[in-house]
Structure formats: C-alpha cells, structure tokens
Amino acid sequence: TPSPRRAAQPRPDVPFQDITDFALPTPAAPLFEASVSASYMCYRHAMHALEAGADVAEADARQVWTQVFQAQLALHMYEAASSTVLSMPFDDLRTTCITTLVTTLCHAHETHTLLRLDLLDWQPHVERTLSFHARHASPLAHPSYFHILYAYHISRGDYKSAAASMYQHARRRGG
C-alpha cells in the first residue's frame, strides 16, 4: 500500500512556502510606486522648464514629454496623461501616445475613463485605434475591443456605427 503523503513542513530559509504566499512582494509594491512617483516628479519639473521656454535639444524634450506621459500611465493618472498628450508640441509623438493611452485604458478595464476623456480633434484617431484593435484581436479576447468600440460610438450618439461594430463582431464570432 502506498504511504500517505506527509504535509509539507515550512522551511525557515525559503521565503515562499507555495505559489500563493505573497508576503515578500507586498512590501515591494509601494517601493516601485514610490520610484515611479519620484521619477514622475523629476520629469514633471523638467517639463515645467520646457514649458517656461528652456532651450534644450528636441530629442531631450521628446524624452521628457514621453517619460512624464509613461509615468502618469504607470501611476494610473489617466486624465493627467490625456492632458499631457494634448499639450505635446510634437504631432507624431502625440499620435503615438494617444494610441498608447487608448490601449492602456482598454487593458486596464477603464472604458468609462476612455469615454469620459475629451481628446478634442483626436477623436477620429481614438476611433481608428479601437477599430484597428477590434479587427485584429481575437473575437473572444479580453478586453473585447468590439464592445469598447460599441460603447464609444453609443457615447458619441453614433448609433449606426455602434450597430455596425456589433454586426462585425457577430460575423467574426459566427464564422
């Protein structure tokens, strides 16, 4: 007869007893957030200097704008990130960052935030980004870009486009 399994004895020299033991990483989370927050404050200070007319190379200015934007996303400061994007003096960088903002909001399940943001003249780009993801993502993938695109159209009062997005979604799921 097989011997009964013995319960695993905790070892004092091993920080994780099993895969569900999260005692060690928990204190690290505030340190990471504090690091991102400190970086954000440094880049924010540099951005204020740029806005005040500091004479710096374009590559350095682009890096400051990008780092501020990325830190805001990492800290879930989505409204601030959208304001930063709209303030960027570089159209190509703004286009890239708006795409990143839309994608990040969708993956963070922040659809309500996406629908609330006023991205002014950049709304067509938001729609193109959502449409692109809806067409190229698996119909069963999460987040469901078709549902987000549908909500986006409904929030704008564009019921025809909302219906078209759901029709396309049904066609993709059906075959």
Side-chain angles (χ1 to χ4, degrees), residues 27-59:
L31 296 176
F32 172 75
E33 187 172 296
S35 174
V36 171
S37 184
S39 296
Y40 168 69
M41 296 309 288
C42 291
Y43 281 109
R44 186 79 185 140
H45 180 72
M47 196 170 85
H48 285 308
L50 286 176
E51 291 172 340
D55 188 27
V56 296
E58 182 178 324

Side-chain angles (χ1 to χ4, degrees), residues 6 17 42 53 58-59 62 64 72 84 86 107 126-127 133 142 150 170:
R6 291 182 1 150
Q17 301 303 319
C42 291
E58 182 178 324
R62 285 174 173 274
V64 168
Q72 288 168 332
T84 297
L86 294 176
H107 284 275
V126 172
E127 182 179 350
H133 285 301
H142 290 285
Y150 171 81

Side-chain angles (χ1 to χ4, degrees), residues 16-168:
F16 293 103
Q17 301 303 319
D18 64 27
I19 198 162
T20 60
D21 185 6
F22 293 102
L24 185 63
T26 304
L31 296 176
F32 172 75
E33 187 172 296
S35 174
V36 171
S37 184
S39 296
Y40 168 69
M41 296 309 288
C42 291
Y43 281 109
R44 186 79 185 140
H45 180 72
M47 196 170 85
H48 285 308
L50 286 176
E51 291 172 340
D55 188 27
V56 296
E58 182 178 324
D60 293 335
R62 285 174 173 274
Q63 181 175 357
V64 168
W65 282 100
T66 302
Q67 293 299 327
V68 167
F69 172 73
Q70 289 175 343
Q72 288 168 332
L73 288 183
L75 294 170
H76 307 284
M77 299 169 60
Y78 302 124
E79 286 84 3
S82 71
S83 295
T84 297
V85 167
L86 294 176
S87 301
M88 289 179 176
F90 311 106
D91 283 341
D92 59 326
L93 184 59
R94 189 179 307 137
T95 301
T96 302
C97 289
I98 287 176
T99 301
T100 302
L101 176 63
V102 169
T103 304
T104 300
L105 288 170
C106 291
H107 284 275
H109 303 289
E110 290 285 341
T111 305
H112 61 282
T113 303
L114 175 63
L115 300 179
R116 195 176 63 242
L117 293 179
D118 186 15
L119 294 171
L120 306 171
D121 296 335
W122 292 90
Q123 294 298 340
H125 183 74
V126 172
E127 182 179 350
R128 282 192 303 274
T129 300
L130 291 172
S131 294
F132 175 84
H133 285 301
R135 286 190 314 271
H136 292 92
S138 166
L140 301 176
H142 290 285
S144 172
Y145 281 98
F146 276 111
H147 288 112
I148 296 169
L149 183 60
Y150 171 81
Y152 178 81
H153 288 308
I154 291 293
S155 73
R156 303 278 180 275
D158 187 357
Y159 303 114
K160 181 179 176 183
S161 295
S165 68
M166 283 293 98
Y167 174 76
Q168 291 171 354

